[in-house]
């Protein structure tokens, strides 16, 4: 990992507020959907305002207290273990936030990193009843998908098309794509 990345912080040692503050100094993988215009909940102007403030607003402080966020965090290791069991992919949980050396304004931390033919990002998501509609159920792991951008197609439409093909929301597709960049994952 150190070839392309540098460690920003050991996030396993940060509380929620410290973690939220450190995220303000860069564009994390979860910010990519906002930058690319496919986020359902936040636009670029809101992101810029959020990143400019070096303090947390009351709304930002409340995010980690939301039931879906707490459940996702609490169930992450179980979800990763079940995925590993179902696929046979060995998963490691790096405790760090990383900065990309070539693109130093980009950061990410991984829910998990799978070790297969190459190193791949693994995202563990808690799906709420509301968010369920954005996922394709019982999606098989399809390694034949090769999302090459087609000339003449709008980038947002490209993202939405391939997210649908993968069976995940567009705002998570961009997150995983940024993580693939960080890991220089082959064949994904």
């Amino acid at each position: 990992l150190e070839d392309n990345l540098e460690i920003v912080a050991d996030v396993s040692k940060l509380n929620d507020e410290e973690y939220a503050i450190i995220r303000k100094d860069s564009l994390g993988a979860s910010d990519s959907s906002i930058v690319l215009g496919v986020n359902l909940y936040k636009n670029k102007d809101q992101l810029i305002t959020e990143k400019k403030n070096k303090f947390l607003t009351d709304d930002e402080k409340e995010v980690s207290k939301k039931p879906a966020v707490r459940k996702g965090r609490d169930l992450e290791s179980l979800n990763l273990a079940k995925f590993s069991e179902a696929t046979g992919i060995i998963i490691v949980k790096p405790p760090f936030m990383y900065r990309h050396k070539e693109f130093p304004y980009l950061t990410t931390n991984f829910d998990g990193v799978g070790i297969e033919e190459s190193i791949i990002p693994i995202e563990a998501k808690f799906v709420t009843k509301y968010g369920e509609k954005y996922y394709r159920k019982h999606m098989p792991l399809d390694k034949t998908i090769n999302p090459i951008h087609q000339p003449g197609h709008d980038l947002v439409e490209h993202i939405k098309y391939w997210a649908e093909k993968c069976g995940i929301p567009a705002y998570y597709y961009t997150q995983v794509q940024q993580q693939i960049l960080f890991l220089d994952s082959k064949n994904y």
Side-chain angles (χ1 to χ4, degrees):
L1 293 176
E2 284 77 23
D3 289 346
N4 296 330
L5 312 176
E6 62 181 295
I7 295 172
V8 174
D10 182 341
V11 295
S12 68
K13 295 181 179 178
L14 302 177
N15 65 37
D16 291 340
E17 198 164 314
E18 291 168 329
Y19 176 66
I21 291 287
I22 202 166
R23 290 186 67 215
K24 289 181 172 277
D25 288 337
S26 61
L27 296 172
S30 58
D31 296 326
S32 62
S33 65
I34 303 164
V35 172
L36 294 168
V38 295
N39 189 287
L40 304 175
Y41 309 105
K42 194 179 293 183
N43 64 42
K44 292 175 197 173
D45 290 337
Q46 291 169 313
L47 178 66
I48 290 167
T49 299
E50 187 178 284
K51 296 289 182 178
K52 283 188 335 186
N53 292 331
K54 297 305 174 195
F55 60 89
L56 295 180
T57 65
D58 289 340
D59 288 342
E60 290 171 316
K61 289 177 185 176
E62 293 300 312
V63 169
S64 65
K65 297 175 186 171
K66 291 183 178 184
V69 173
R70 287 193 342 265
K71 287 176 187 175
R73 185 177 48 231
D74 293 345
L75 293 172
E76 184 177 283
S77 60
L78 175 65
N79 286 337
L80 293 172
K82 290 293 187 182
F83 179 80
S84 181
E85 182 182 306
T87 63
I89 296 172
I90 297 168
I91 299 175
V92 176
K93 169 69 174 166
F96 305 113
M97 174 185 284
Y98 295 96
R99 182 177 310 282
H100 199 282
K101 288 180 181 176
E102 186 177 350
F103 308 104
Y105 47 87
L106 298 179
T107 58
T108 197
N109 59 300
F110 300 97
D111 290 351
V113 174
I115 301 168
E116 223 185 12
E117 297 102 33
S118 67
I119 300 173
I120 59 173
I122 307 290
E123 274 296 306
K125 297 300 180 193
F126 173 77
V127 181
T128 63
K129 192 71 177 160
Y130 173 79
E132 195 173 78
K133 64 186 168 215
Y134 298 109
Y135 291 85
R136 187 176 339 126
K137 293 184 184 199
H138 309 294
M139 182 189 76
L141 187 59
D142 185 354
K143 296 181 183 179
T144 63
I145 294 174
N146 186 10
I148 303 298
H149 182 68
Q150 300 297 319
H153 286 97
D154 175 76
L155 181 60
V156 169
E157 291 307 312
H158 168 81
I159 292 167
K160 289 179 179 178
Y161 173 81
W162 283 106
E164 172 65 27
K165 190 119 172 107
C166 292
I168 62 175
Y171 49 90
Y172 288 144
Y173 178 81
T174 61
Q175 179 178 3
V176 172
Q177 291 300 309
Q178 183 164 322
Q179 292 176 342
I180 287 170
L181 168 73
F182 271 58
L183 295 175
D184 195 23
S185 300
K186 306 294 184 225
N187 301 323
Y188 287 92

